[in-house]
Amino acid sequence: SCLIFAYTQGISVDRLQQAVKDLKLVRRRQEFRGYYKGALVIDDFAHHPRAVSVTLDSLRKTYGDRRMIVVMDPVSATARSNLFQKEFAESLSEADSFILAKPYLKTTAKNFGDMDADLLIQDVSRLFEIPACTAETLEELRDAIDRQIKEDDLLVILSNRTCLGLWNSDFVKEIKK
């Protein structure tokens, strides 16, 4: 519909074709980042329980039986609030292991308190009987990943920032494209 609108506004077919060729897709939507210790690394912006659920379901269908280690960094005001506390736990059903980057900022979502990270870990463990833990620092996050990661796993990072600095650390240097 955008192309049709642009065409009706006098933009030539040649320019529209070139614009489509030059189109850069949205980053952080199941973006392949490379490999870490033999595990495939996917970065995704998922910041809402429904987005987490759909993303993990899609990755499960795409990568089949790979063990899926999910790291979630709830950064948006609603994600780090207790608004979706129960829904986030339920959205992680496809994970084989879960690491929560514990929110360090208080929520600014009106009429809601902060996410209870410990309760989320308990709920995920109870609901799906999967290992789950929190990390508050980059060092803790790297340690949790390193303790769990195996070759041929799928490491899914769900964050709309740097995930406790993970993407700005030497972790990126270990990823080969």
Side-chain angles (χ1 to χ4, degrees), residues 35 44 47 56-57 61 68 83 87 93 108 129-130 132:
Y35 292 91
D44 196 279
H47 63 283
L56 298 184
D57 182 59
K61 288 175 182 167
M68 189 185 317
L83 172 64
E87 291 85 352
S93 65
T108 55
E129 298 179 3
I130 63 171

Side-chain angles (χ1 to χ4, degrees), residues 85 100 102 115-124 134 136:
Q85 181 85 35
L100 175 67
K102 204 169 186 177
M115 170 190 281
D116 184 334
D118 296 328
L119 180 60
L120 180 58
I121 293 302
Q122 289 172 10
D123 287 346
V124 168
T134 61
E136 293 186 50

Side-chain angles (χ1 to χ4, degrees), residues 76-93:
S76 70
T78 54
R80 64 181 192 261
S81 76
N82 60 7
L83 172 64
F84 298 121
Q85 181 85 35
K86 180 181 173 198
E87 291 85 352
F88 269 127
E90 293 168 352
S91 73
L92 294 157
S93 65

Side-chain angles (χ1 to χ4, degrees), residues 4-164:
I4 293 168
F5 174 76
Y7 180 73
T8 64
Q9 298 303 303
I11 298 176
S12 71
V13 171
D14 290 339
R15 264 187 86 195
L16 292 172
Q17 287 175 333
Q18 189 59 48
V20 170
K21 287 179 186 175
D22 294 340
L23 182 66
K24 293 195 180 6
L25 298 177
V26 175
R27 295 189 59 186
R28 303 188 90 164
R29 293 293 184 206
Q30 295 187 24
E31 180 182 352
F32 169 71
R33 295 289 290 254
Y35 292 91
Y36 178 73
K37 296 189 176 186
L40 181 69
V41 179
I42 301 291
D43 185 19
D44 196 279
F45 187 82
H47 63 283
H48 182 278
R50 182 70 178 138
V52 170
S53 182
V54 169
T55 297
L56 298 184
D57 182 59
S58 173
L59 290 170
R60 178 63 70 203
K61 288 175 182 167
T62 302
Y63 295 102
D65 292 335
R66 283 185 189 239
R67 201 169 66 98
M68 189 185 317
I69 298 168
V70 176
V71 176
M72 186 173 81
D73 180 19
V75 178
S76 70
T78 54
R80 64 181 192 261
S81 76
N82 60 7
L83 172 64
F84 298 121
Q85 181 85 35
K86 180 181 173 198
E87 291 85 352
F88 269 127
E90 293 168 352
S91 73
L92 294 157
S93 65
E94 291 294 335
D96 293 301
S97 182
F98 174 58
I99 304 167
L100 175 67
K102 204 169 186 177
Y104 56 90
L105 296 172
K106 299 278 185 198
T107 187
T108 55
K110 292 187 189 252
N111 303 319
F112 293 97
D114 292 324
M115 170 190 281
D116 184 334
D118 296 328
L119 180 60
L120 180 58
I121 293 302
Q122 289 172 10
D123 287 346
V124 168
S125 296
R126 180 182 48 80
L127 286 171
F128 307 115
E129 298 179 3
I130 63 171
C133 66
T134 61
E136 293 186 50
T137 66
L138 175 59
E139 293 74 25
E140 289 177 5
L141 178 59
R142 290 288 299 269
D143 185 54
I145 291 170
D146 287 346
R147 278 194 320 268
Q148 297 180 47
I149 201 83
K150 294 181 180 142
E151 193 168 343
D152 295 323
D153 282 350
L154 178 62
L155 177 60
V156 181
I157 311 293
L158 304 174
S159 177
N160 61 0
R161 284 201 186 153
T162 67
C163 199
L164 297 178

